[in-house]
Amino acid sequence: MKTLLPLVLATLIAAPASAACLAEYKAKRDNPLELFYGTAQISGACTMAEANAQLRDQLAAQGLTLLKVLSVRQQ
């Protein structure tokens, strides 16, 4: 039993509190037209709606328009 406790503690410490969420997206910039494909880490809920909300703001700050979130997945 004494040897099991360090193993359990190491597992709990090594496990992340929450898995990262990765979103794939398509975006564009006008004049001249440029198309972009990218991935970004999303905080909070790992959903298409959350990815849309976060990416729209992040990309707008870079002068890009979000066209579509293609997928979201836990890392």
Side-chain angles (χ1 to χ4, degrees):
M1 189 68 167
K2 288 182 181 179
T3 59
L4 185 59
L5 184 59
L7 179 61
V8 171
L9 290 176
T11 303
L12 291 175
I13 291 170
S18 64
C21 180
L22 191 64
E24 292 180 288
Y25 65 89
K26 289 183 183 178
K28 72 172 184 169
R29 180 179 294 140
D30 292 321
N31 299 322
L33 178 63
E34 294 178 85
L35 299 175
F36 297 86
Y37 164 83
T39 58
Q41 190 167 342
I42 302 300
S43 59
C46 193
T47 64
M48 296 287 270
E50 186 67 26
N52 262 304
Q54 288 185 35
L55 286 172
R56 192 168 310 281
D57 294 340
Q58 289 175 11
L59 295 171
Q62 299 172 32
L64 298 172
T65 302
L66 177 65
L67 296 174
K68 183 175 186 175
V69 174
L70 302 171
S71 69
V72 292
R73 65 178 182 272
Q74 294 282 2
Q75 288 277 300

